[in-house]
Amino acid sequence: MTSTAPAPAARAFLAPTLTFVLATFVASGAMLLLQQVSGLGTDVLPLVQLGPAIGAGVTSAVFRGRLSPLLPDAVPRRQVVAHLVLAFAACLLYGGVLVAALLAQGVRLEGAHAAGAVPFALVPLLLLVGAAGEEIGWRGTLQPLLENRFSLLVASIVTGLVWGVWHVQVFTAGPVVIVGFLLATVALSVLVGHFGRGTVRQRVALATLVHWLVNLALLVTLGDRHSTPEGTVANATAAIVTAAVFMAMFAAAQRKRGKSALVARRTQDVAA
């Protein structure tokens, strides 16, 4: 009789996943409080962006060696480089669609500008730190854990939903912003999830690049208006279009590889 019990990895993923989510939300709340108490403006660096990295650290400390079997193996460096190039191209497409969607709505573009007291020359560096702080958690911990139980697509969608809900401030901005923002986080999560394969370091490096460039595009085009209905619609449109284009490319490449493998097998059978 064949056993239908779930694989050990599929059973073991749940506890660290829930631990990560709980630790991330608690740590993020603590970072928000610390930022308020310290008087450090969010223009310098929103400390809440470090919450997912703290959640990842807590999860790693609690489960220690037990996490290793649940984390993915490395992929060839050639694949990482190819996906980095594709990810950069995706960010260019995202930026182009974002600008077009904003102009179509008659929204004024901000352009390069200082963020509060921070000169624009330092803004990209701070955005990079914030993006890395988030991606250590989202694509470096949560998504790999979910992939032990779900397909890559489902794991990406769930990660995108948690990522979106983590931005609790959008839930006070009205239904258009809420729905648009969640659509954007899910679409970007699906995109990054399919680009970012391999070890935690490989995934975090690529995800940080995309997250950083998307945030930089939003800052340059919208400034502080990215949570307005117009900004959210443009963001969601750009994310969905970009994800759809590159997912279609991934599907076409997969079909091509499948056909090549089939031809190779048939050739071997004939030769035999």
Side-chain angles (χ1 to χ4, degrees), residues 220-268:
V220 169
T221 56
L222 285 164
D224 295 331
R225 297 173 294 148
H226 51 81
S227 292
T228 61
E230 296 80 8
T232 303
V233 167
N235 181 27
T237 301
I240 292 170
V241 169
T242 303
V245 167
F246 279 86
M247 288 298 291
M249 290 174 56
F250 280 129
Q254 189 172 15
R255 287 195 298 269
K256 184 177 180 180
R257 286 193 297 269
K259 289 180 180 178
S260 299
L262 180 60
V263 170
R265 284 197 299 271
R266 287 177 176 175
T267 302
Q268 290 175 352

mmCIF file of all heavy atoms in Angstrom, residues 220-268:
data_model
loop_
_atom_site.group_PDB
_atom_site.id
_atom_site.type_symbol
_atom_site.label_atom_id
_atom_site.label_comp_id
_atom_site.label_asym_id
_atom_site.label_seq_id
_atom_site.Cartn_x
_atom_site.Cartn_y
_atom_site.Cartn_z
ATOM 1 N N VAL A 220 11.563 58.392 -8.109
ATOM 2 C CA VAL A 220 11.884 59.385 -9.134
ATOM 3 C C VAL A 220 10.623 59.865 -9.849
ATOM 4 O O VAL A 220 10.521 61.040 -10.232
ATOM 5 C CB VAL A 220 12.892 58.799 -10.142
ATOM 6 C CG1 VAL A 220 13.048 59.705 -11.360
ATOM 7 C CG2 VAL A 220 14.247 58.596 -9.470
ATOM 8 N N THR A 221 9.653 58.973 -10.027
ATOM 9 C CA THR A 221 8.447 59.367 -10.750
ATOM 10 C C THR A 221 7.378 59.984 -9.855
ATOM 11 O O THR A 221 6.696 60.931 -10.242
ATOM 12 C CB THR A 221 7.833 58.153 -11.473
ATOM 13 O OG1 THR A 221 7.587 57.106 -10.520
ATOM 14 C CG2 THR A 221 8.749 57.669 -12.575
ATOM 15 N N LEU A 222 7.229 59.437 -8.636
ATOM 16 C CA LEU A 222 6.105 59.830 -7.790
ATOM 17 C C LEU A 222 6.497 60.511 -6.486
ATOM 18 O O LEU A 222 5.659 61.177 -5.863
ATOM 19 C CB LEU A 222 5.259 58.596 -7.456
ATOM 20 C CG LEU A 222 4.387 58.075 -8.587
ATOM 21 C CD1 LEU A 222 3.919 56.657 -8.291
ATOM 22 C CD2 LEU A 222 3.193 58.987 -8.811
ATOM 23 N N GLY A 223 7.724 60.362 -6.059
ATOM 24 C CA GLY A 223 8.111 60.950 -4.783
ATOM 25 C C GLY A 223 7.304 60.361 -3.648
ATOM 26 O O GLY A 223 7.246 59.136 -3.476
ATOM 27 N N ASP A 224 6.645 61.207 -2.871
ATOM 28 C CA ASP A 224 5.829 60.746 -1.749
ATOM 29 C C ASP A 224 4.404 60.403 -2.153
ATOM 30 O O ASP A 224 3.571 60.093 -1.295
ATOM 31 C CB ASP A 224 5.787 61.829 -0.655
ATOM 32 C CG ASP A 224 7.158 62.070 -0.043
ATOM 33 O OD1 ASP A 224 7.961 61.124 -0.018
ATOM 34 O OD2 ASP A 224 7.416 63.212 0.401
ATOM 35 N N ARG A 225 4.104 60.441 -3.454
ATOM 36 C CA ARG A 225 2.718 60.228 -3.915
ATOM 37 C C ARG A 225 2.470 58.812 -4.405
ATOM 38 O O ARG A 225 1.493 58.555 -5.097
ATOM 39 C CB ARG A 225 2.405 61.217 -5.047
ATOM 40 C CG ARG A 225 2.446 62.685 -4.624
ATOM 41 C CD ARG A 225 2.292 63.598 -5.830
ATOM 42 N NE ARG A 225 3.432 63.492 -6.721
ATOM 43 C CZ ARG A 225 3.352 63.632 -8.046
ATOM 44 N NH1 ARG A 225 2.188 63.847 -8.617
ATOM 45 N NH2 ARG A 225 4.436 63.536 -8.799
ATOM 46 N N HIS A 226 3.358 57.861 -4.035
ATOM 47 C CA HIS A 226 3.197 56.501 -4.551
ATOM 48 C C HIS A 226 2.003 55.780 -3.950
ATOM 49 O O HIS A 226 1.568 54.746 -4.479
ATOM 50 C CB HIS A 226 4.471 55.685 -4.315
ATOM 51 C CG HIS A 226 4.968 55.736 -2.905
ATOM 52 N ND1 HIS A 226 4.434 54.961 -1.913
ATOM 53 C CD2 HIS A 226 5.942 56.486 -2.330
ATOM 54 C CE1 HIS A 226 5.058 55.203 -0.783
ATOM 55 N NE2 HIS A 226 5.985 56.135 -0.990
ATOM 56 N N SER A 227 1.449 56.290 -2.840
ATOM 57 C CA SER A 227 0.285 55.650 -2.228
ATOM 58 C C SER A 227 -1.022 56.355 -2.573
ATOM 59 O O SER A 227 -2.051 56.081 -1.954
ATOM 60 C CB SER A 227 0.451 55.582 -0.700
ATOM 61 O OG SER A 227 1.491 54.688 -0.358
ATOM 62 N N THR A 228 -0.990 57.245 -3.552
ATOM 63 C CA THR A 228 -2.223 57.855 -4.054
ATOM 64 C C THR A 228 -2.891 56.878 -5.012
ATOM 65 O O THR A 228 -2.231 55.967 -5.542
ATOM 66 C CB THR A 228 -1.921 59.161 -4.796
ATOM 67 O OG1 THR A 228 -1.075 58.871 -5.928
ATOM 68 C CG2 THR A 228 -1.222 60.163 -3.882
ATOM 69 N N PRO A 229 -4.186 57.031 -5.260
ATOM 70 C CA PRO A 229 -4.842 56.131 -6.223
ATOM 71 C C PRO A 229 -4.164 56.124 -7.584
ATOM 72 O O PRO A 229 -3.964 55.055 -8.181
ATOM 73 C CB PRO A 229 -6.266 56.696 -6.301
ATOM 74 C CG PRO A 229 -6.488 57.318 -4.957
ATOM 75 C CD PRO A 229 -5.163 57.909 -4.580
ATOM 76 N N GLU A 230 -3.784 57.314 -8.082
ATOM 77 C CA GLU A 230 -3.138 57.387 -9.398
ATOM 78 C C GLU A 230 -1.797 56.655 -9.401
ATOM 79 O O GLU A 230 -1.473 55.905 -10.322
ATOM 80 C CB GLU A 230 -2.938 58.838 -9.814
ATOM 81 C CG GLU A 230 -4.209 59.630 -10.015
ATOM 82 C CD GLU A 230 -4.818 60.124 -8.706
ATOM 83 O OE1 GLU A 230 -4.153 59.981 -7.652
ATOM 84 O OE2 GLU A 230 -5.945 60.650 -8.748
ATOM 85 N N GLY A 231 -1.030 56.891 -8.347
ATOM 86 C CA GLY A 231 0.268 56.231 -8.253
ATOM 87 C C GLY A 231 0.151 54.735 -8.099
ATOM 88 O O GLY A 231 0.907 53.959 -8.699
ATOM 89 N N THR A 232 -0.832 54.302 -7.318
ATOM 90 C CA THR A 232 -1.021 52.865 -7.099
ATOM 91 C C THR A 232 -1.478 52.170 -8.371
ATOM 92 O O THR A 232 -1.019 51.063 -8.687
ATOM 93 C CB THR A 232 -2.051 52.633 -5.984
ATOM 94 O OG1 THR A 232 -1.616 53.297 -4.796
ATOM 95 C CG2 THR A 232 -2.199 51.149 -5.686
ATOM 96 N N VAL A 233 -2.383 52.807 -9.114
ATOM 97 C CA VAL A 233 -2.844 52.221 -10.381
ATOM 98 C C VAL A 233 -1.681 52.088 -11.357
ATOM 99 O O VAL A 233 -1.525 51.060 -12.027
ATOM 100 C CB VAL A 233 -3.975 53.083 -10.992
ATOM 101 C CG1 VAL A 233 -4.250 52.675 -12.439
ATOM 102 C CG2 VAL A 233 -5.242 52.957 -10.158
ATOM 103 N N ALA A 234 -0.848 53.117 -11.439
ATOM 104 C CA ALA A 234 0.302 53.057 -12.336
ATOM 105 C C ALA A 234 1.285 51.974 -11.904
ATOM 106 O O ALA A 234 1.816 51.226 -12.740
ATOM 107 C CB ALA A 234 0.999 54.421 -12.372
ATOM 108 N N ASN A 235 1.522 51.875 -10.608
ATOM 109 C CA ASN A 235 2.425 50.858 -10.084
ATOM 110 C C ASN A 235 1.899 49.458 -10.379
ATOM 111 O O ASN A 235 2.647 48.580 -10.844
ATOM 112 C CB ASN A 235 2.590 51.057 -8.571
ATOM 113 C CG ASN A 235 3.531 50.052 -7.941
ATOM 114 O OD1 ASN A 235 4.431 49.526 -8.576
ATOM 115 N ND2 ASN A 235 3.322 49.775 -6.658
ATOM 116 N N ALA A 236 0.623 49.243 -10.117
ATOM 117 C CA ALA A 236 0.027 47.930 -10.374
ATOM 118 C C ALA A 236 0.060 47.599 -11.860
ATOM 119 O O ALA A 236 0.366 46.458 -12.241
ATOM 120 C CB ALA A 236 -1.408 47.903 -9.856
ATOM 121 N N THR A 237 -0.239 48.573 -12.701
ATOM 122 C CA THR A 237 -0.215 48.347 -14.150
ATOM 123 C C THR A 237 1.176 47.944 -14.616
ATOM 124 O O THR A 237 1.341 46.975 -15.366
ATOM 125 C CB THR A 237 -0.669 49.615 -14.895
ATOM 126 O OG1 THR A 237 -1.992 49.963 -14.484
ATOM 127 C CG2 THR A 237 -0.652 49.387 -16.402
ATOM 128 N N ALA A 238 2.181 48.690 -14.152
ATOM 129 C CA ALA A 238 3.556 48.393 -14.552
ATOM 130 C C ALA A 238 3.989 47.021 -14.064
ATOM 131 O O ALA A 238 4.641 46.262 -14.796
ATOM 132 C CB ALA A 238 4.493 49.473 -14.010
ATOM 133 N N ALA A 239 3.635 46.677 -12.823
ATOM 134 C CA ALA A 239 4.028 45.382 -12.263
ATOM 135 C C ALA A 239 3.355 44.234 -13.001
ATOM 136 O O ALA A 239 4.005 43.226 -13.326
ATOM 137 C CB ALA A 239 3.679 45.346 -10.775
ATOM 138 N N ILE A 240 2.059 44.368 -13.270
ATOM 139 C CA ILE A 240 1.317 43.294 -13.934
ATOM 140 C C ILE A 240 1.800 43.102 -15.364
ATOM 141 O O ILE A 240 2.011 41.964 -15.821
ATOM 142 C CB ILE A 240 -0.199 43.586 -13.890
ATOM 143 C CG1 ILE A 240 -0.702 43.485 -12.447
ATOM 144 C CG2 ILE A 240 -0.965 42.629 -14.789
ATOM 145 C CD1 ILE A 240 -2.122 43.999 -12.261
ATOM 146 N N VAL A 241 1.972 44.193 -16.100
ATOM 147 C CA VAL A 241 2.443 44.094 -17.494
ATOM 148 C C VAL A 241 3.824 43.447 -17.539
ATOM 149 O O VAL A 241 4.090 42.538 -18.342
ATOM 150 C CB VAL A 241 2.470 45.482 -18.155
ATOM 151 C CG1 VAL A 241 3.215 45.430 -19.491
ATOM 152 C CG2 VAL A 241 1.054 45.995 -18.372
ATOM 153 N N THR A 242 4.723 43.897 -16.668
ATOM 154 C CA THR A 242 6.086 43.353 -16.651
ATOM 155 C C THR A 242 6.079 41.874 -16.300
ATOM 156 O O THR A 242 6.751 41.062 -16.955
ATOM 157 C CB THR A 242 6.960 44.121 -15.651
ATOM 158 O OG1 THR A 242 6.948 45.515 -15.989
ATOM 159 C CG2 THR A 242 8.389 43.618 -15.680
ATOM 160 N N ALA A 243 5.321 41.513 -15.268
ATOM 161 C CA ALA A 243 5.256 40.100 -14.877
ATOM 162 C C ALA A 243 4.665 39.256 -16.002
ATOM 163 O O ALA A 243 5.168 38.158 -16.289
ATOM 164 C CB ALA A 243 4.432 39.950 -13.602
ATOM 165 N N ALA A 244 3.611 39.744 -16.659
ATOM 166 C CA ALA A 244 2.969 38.983 -17.736
ATOM 167 C C ALA A 244 3.929 38.757 -18.898
ATOM 168 O O ALA A 244 4.012 37.648 -19.449
ATOM 169 C CB ALA A 244 1.714 39.716 -18.217
ATOM 170 N N VAL A 245 4.672 39.791 -19.277
ATOM 171 C CA VAL A 245 5.612 39.671 -20.400
ATOM 172 C C VAL A 245 6.697 38.646 -20.096
ATOM 173 O O VAL A 245 6.984 37.750 -20.911
ATOM 174 C CB VAL A 245 6.240 41.044 -20.727
ATOM 175 C CG1 VAL A 245 7.435 40.888 -21.672
ATOM 176 C CG2 VAL A 245 5.202 41.980 -21.333
ATOM 177 N N PHE A 246 7.282 38.736 -18.931
ATOM 178 C CA PHE A 246 8.391 37.841 -18.623
ATOM 179 C C PHE A 246 7.926 36.442 -18.252
ATOM 180 O O PHE A 246 8.643 35.465 -18.506
ATOM 181 C CB PHE A 246 9.275 38.455 -17.534
ATOM 182 C CG PHE A 246 10.228 39.476 -18.090
ATOM 183 C CD1 PHE A 246 9.833 40.791 -18.258
ATOM 184 C CD2 PHE A 246 11.503 39.116 -18.481
ATOM 185 C CE1 PHE A 246 10.692 41.735 -18.797
ATOM 186 C CE2 PHE A 246 12.372 40.035 -19.019
ATOM 187 C CZ PHE A 246 11.976 41.351 -19.187
ATOM 188 N N MET A 247 6.747 36.296 -17.696
ATOM 189 C CA MET A 247 6.218 34.959 -17.457
ATOM 190 C C MET A 247 5.927 34.264 -18.787
ATOM 191 O O MET A 247 6.138 33.048 -18.922
ATOM 192 C CB MET A 247 4.954 35.032 -16.606
ATOM 193 C CG MET A 247 5.209 35.398 -15.146
ATOM 194 S SD MET A 247 6.245 34.195 -14.281
ATOM 195 C CE MET A 247 5.125 32.803 -14.203
ATOM 196 N N ALA A 248 5.455 35.029 -19.772
ATOM 197 C CA ALA A 248 5.247 34.456 -21.100
ATOM 198 C C ALA A 248 6.577 34.018 -21.703
ATOM 199 O O ALA A 248 6.662 32.965 -22.361
ATOM 200 C CB ALA A 248 4.560 35.478 -22.003
ATOM 201 N N MET A 249 7.622 34.800 -21.486
ATOM 202 C CA MET A 249 8.956 34.430 -21.965
ATOM 203 C C MET A 249 9.446 33.161 -21.287
ATOM 204 O O MET A 249 10.004 32.267 -21.937
ATOM 205 C CB MET A 249 9.933 35.580 -21.720
ATOM 206 C CG MET A 249 9.710 36.789 -22.589
ATOM 207 S SD MET A 249 10.774 38.180 -22.142
ATOM 208 C CE MET A 249 12.411 37.434 -22.277
ATOM 209 N N PHE A 250 9.246 33.066 -19.974
ATOM 210 C CA PHE A 250 9.646 31.867 -19.241
ATOM 211 C C PHE A 250 8.890 30.642 -19.759
ATOM 212 O O PHE A 250 9.480 29.563 -19.931
ATOM 213 C CB PHE A 250 9.376 32.031 -17.747
ATOM 214 C CG PHE A 250 10.421 32.824 -17.020
ATOM 215 C CD1 PHE A 250 10.058 33.891 -16.197
ATOM 216 C CD2 PHE A 250 11.763 32.514 -17.130
ATOM 217 C CE1 PHE A 250 11.008 34.622 -15.523
ATOM 218 C CE2 PHE A 250 12.725 33.243 -16.450
ATOM 219 C CZ PHE A 250 12.352 34.300 -15.649
ATOM 220 N N ALA A 251 7.583 30.798 -20.004
ATOM 221 C CA ALA A 251 6.777 29.673 -20.486
ATOM 222 C C ALA A 251 7.243 29.229 -21.870
ATOM 223 O O ALA A 251 7.339 28.024 -22.149
ATOM 224 C CB ALA A 251 5.303 30.069 -20.521
ATOM 225 N N ALA A 252 7.549 30.196 -22.737
ATOM 226 C CA ALA A 252 8.023 29.858 -24.078
ATOM 227 C C ALA A 252 9.368 29.136 -24.015
ATOM 228 O O ALA A 252 9.599 28.157 -24.743
ATOM 229 C CB ALA A 252 8.141 31.132 -24.920
ATOM 230 N N ALA A 253 10.257 29.606 -23.136
ATOM 231 C CA ALA A 253 11.566 28.970 -22.993
ATOM 232 C C ALA A 253 11.415 27.547 -22.457
ATOM 233 O O ALA A 253 12.134 26.634 -22.888
ATOM 234 C CB ALA A 253 12.449 29.799 -22.065
ATOM 235 N N GLN A 254 10.471 27.360 -21.531
ATOM 236 C CA GLN A 254 10.257 26.027 -20.967
ATOM 237 C C GLN A 254 9.716 25.076 -22.032
ATOM 238 O O GLN A 254 10.130 23.907 -22.103
ATOM 239 C CB GLN A 254 9.295 26.105 -19.786
ATOM 240 C CG GLN A 254 9.169 24.816 -19.002
ATOM 241 C CD GLN A 254 8.365 25.009 -17.727
ATOM 242 O OE1 GLN A 254 7.676 26.010 -17.554
ATOM 243 N NE2 GLN A 254 8.447 24.044 -16.834
ATOM 244 N N ARG A 255 8.789 25.568 -22.874
ATOM 245 C CA ARG A 255 8.263 24.724 -23.953
ATOM 246 C C ARG A 255 9.366 24.348 -24.930
ATOM 247 O O ARG A 255 9.448 23.213 -25.409
ATOM 248 C CB ARG A 255 7.134 25.452 -24.678
ATOM 249 C CG ARG A 255 5.836 25.536 -23.894
ATOM 250 C CD ARG A 255 4.682 25.939 -24.791
ATOM 251 N NE ARG A 255 4.892 27.258 -25.376
ATOM 252 C CZ ARG A 255 4.485 28.392 -24.831
ATOM 253 N NH1 ARG A 255 3.857 28.363 -23.644
ATOM 254 N NH2 ARG A 255 4.695 29.551 -25.412
ATOM 255 N N LYS A 256 10.238 25.320 -25.217
ATOM 256 C CA LYS A 256 11.345 25.059 -26.142
ATOM 257 C C LYS A 256 12.286 24.006 -25.578
ATOM 258 O O LYS A 256 12.728 23.101 -26.291
ATOM 259 C CB LYS A 256 12.105 26.357 -26.417
ATOM 260 C CG LYS A 256 13.214 26.210 -27.439
ATOM 261 C CD LYS A 256 13.889 27.548 -27.718
ATOM 262 C CE LYS A 256 15.003 27.388 -28.733
ATOM 263 N NZ LYS A 256 15.671 28.699 -29.015
ATOM 264 N N ARG A 257 12.593 24.117 -24.268
ATOM 265 C CA ARG A 257 13.461 23.112 -23.650
ATOM 266 C C ARG A 257 12.802 21.736 -23.664
ATOM 267 O O ARG A 257 13.462 20.716 -23.868
ATOM 268 C CB ARG A 257 13.798 23.518 -22.212
ATOM 269 C CG ARG A 257 14.798 24.668 -22.108
ATOM 270 C CD ARG A 257 15.320 24.795 -20.684
ATOM 271 N NE ARG A 257 14.269 25.133 -19.746
ATOM 272 C CZ ARG A 257 13.934 26.375 -19.417
ATOM 273 N NH1 ARG A 257 14.577 27.397 -19.961
ATOM 274 N NH2 ARG A 257 12.958 26.604 -18.535
ATOM 275 N N GLY A 258 11.480 21.719 -23.435
ATOM 276 C CA GLY A 258 10.764 20.445 -23.455
ATOM 277 C C GLY A 258 10.812 19.794 -24.825
ATOM 278 O O GLY A 258 11.018 18.584 -24.949
ATOM 279 N N LYS A 259 10.640 20.597 -25.879
ATOM 280 C CA LYS A 259 10.695 20.055 -27.238
ATOM 281 C C LYS A 259 12.099 19.559 -27.566
ATOM 282 O O LYS A 259 12.264 18.518 -28.208
ATOM 283 C CB LYS A 259 10.264 21.132 -28.238
ATOM 284 C CG LYS A 259 8.783 21.466 -28.190
ATOM 285 C CD LYS A 259 8.430 22.542 -29.208
ATOM 286 C CE LYS A 259 6.937 22.869 -29.151
ATOM 287 N NZ LYS A 259 6.576 23.950 -30.114
ATOM 288 N N SER A 260 13.100 20.317 -27.130
ATOM 289 C CA SER A 260 14.486 19.905 -27.389
ATOM 290 C C SER A 260 14.800 18.589 -26.699
ATOM 291 O O SER A 260 15.457 17.710 -27.270
ATOM 292 C CB SER A 260 15.457 20.994 -26.916
ATOM 293 O OG SER A 260 15.241 22.207 -27.619
ATOM 294 N N ALA A 261 14.318 18.450 -25.463
ATOM 295 C CA ALA A 261 14.547 17.208 -24.730
ATOM 296 C C ALA A 261 13.845 16.041 -25.404
ATOM 297 O O ALA A 261 14.384 14.923 -25.485
ATOM 298 C CB ALA A 261 14.070 17.361 -23.288
ATOM 299 N N LEU A 262 12.625 16.275 -25.920
ATOM 300 C CA LEU A 262 11.876 15.218 -26.594
ATOM 301 C C LEU A 262 12.592 14.783 -27.868
ATOM 302 O O LEU A 262 12.712 13.588 -28.154
ATOM 303 C CB LEU A 262 10.464 15.707 -26.924
ATOM 304 C CG LEU A 262 9.547 14.717 -27.645
ATOM 305 C CD1 LEU A 262 9.353 13.465 -26.791
ATOM 306 C CD2 LEU A 262 8.200 15.370 -27.957
ATOM 307 N N VAL A 263 13.082 15.762 -28.638
ATOM 308 C CA VAL A 263 13.820 15.445 -29.874
ATOM 309 C C VAL A 263 15.078 14.654 -29.545
ATOM 310 O O VAL A 263 15.417 13.689 -30.234
ATOM 311 C CB VAL A 263 14.169 16.742 -30.632
ATOM 312 C CG1 VAL A 263 15.143 16.443 -31.775
ATOM 313 C CG2 VAL A 263 12.912 17.401 -31.172
ATOM 314 N N ALA A 264 15.769 15.057 -28.469
ATOM 315 C CA ALA A 264 16.994 14.354 -28.085
ATOM 316 C C ALA A 264 16.694 12.903 -27.706
ATOM 317 O O ALA A 264 17.443 11.988 -28.078
ATOM 318 C CB ALA A 264 17.664 15.084 -26.922
ATOM 319 N N ARG A 265 15.600 12.686 -26.971
ATOM 320 C CA ARG A 265 15.238 11.318 -26.576
ATOM 321 C C ARG A 265 14.891 10.468 -27.799
ATOM 322 O O ARG A 265 15.275 9.298 -27.892
ATOM 323 C CB ARG A 265 14.067 11.347 -25.594
ATOM 324 C CG ARG A 265 14.455 11.774 -24.180
ATOM 325 C CD ARG A 265 13.372 11.378 -23.196
ATOM 326 N NE ARG A 265 12.100 12.010 -23.505
ATOM 327 C CZ ARG A 265 11.723 13.199 -23.033
ATOM 328 N NH1 ARG A 265 12.529 13.884 -22.242
ATOM 329 N NH2 ARG A 265 10.541 13.704 -23.355
ATOM 330 N N ARG A 266 14.153 11.064 -28.733
ATOM 331 C CA ARG A 266 13.779 10.321 -29.935
ATOM 332 C C ARG A 266 15.014 9.970 -30.763
ATOM 333 O O ARG A 266 15.108 8.881 -31.354
ATOM 334 C CB ARG A 266 12.797 11.136 -30.761
ATOM 335 C CG ARG A 266 11.394 11.214 -30.155
ATOM 336 C CD ARG A 266 10.481 12.086 -30.966
ATOM 337 N NE ARG A 266 9.131 12.074 -30.425
ATOM 338 C CZ ARG A 266 8.137 12.842 -30.900
ATOM 339 N NH1 ARG A 266 8.356 13.661 -31.928
ATOM 340 N NH2 ARG A 266 6.940 12.754 -30.364
ATOM 341 N N THR A 267 15.959 10.920 -30.822
ATOM 342 C CA THR A 267 17.192 10.675 -31.557
ATOM 343 C C THR A 267 17.975 9.527 -30.938
ATOM 344 O O THR A 267 18.512 8.664 -31.638
ATOM 345 C CB THR A 267 18.065 11.941 -31.586
ATOM 346 O OG1 THR A 267 17.333 13.021 -32.183
ATOM 347 C CG2 THR A 267 19.348 11.718 -32.370
ATOM 348 N N GLN A 268 18.020 9.494 -29.617
ATOM 349 C CA GLN A 268 18.717 8.427 -28.906
ATOM 350 C C GLN A 268 18.029 7.080 -29.155
ATOM 351 O O GLN A 268 18.671 6.043 -29.340
ATOM 352 C CB GLN A 268 18.767 8.702 -27.417
ATOM 353 C CG GLN A 268 19.697 9.865 -27.046
ATOM 354 C CD GLN A 268 19.633 10.202 -25.573
ATOM 355 O OE1 GLN A 268 18.797 9.675 -24.839
ATOM 356 N NE2 GLN A 268 20.519 11.099 -25.124
#
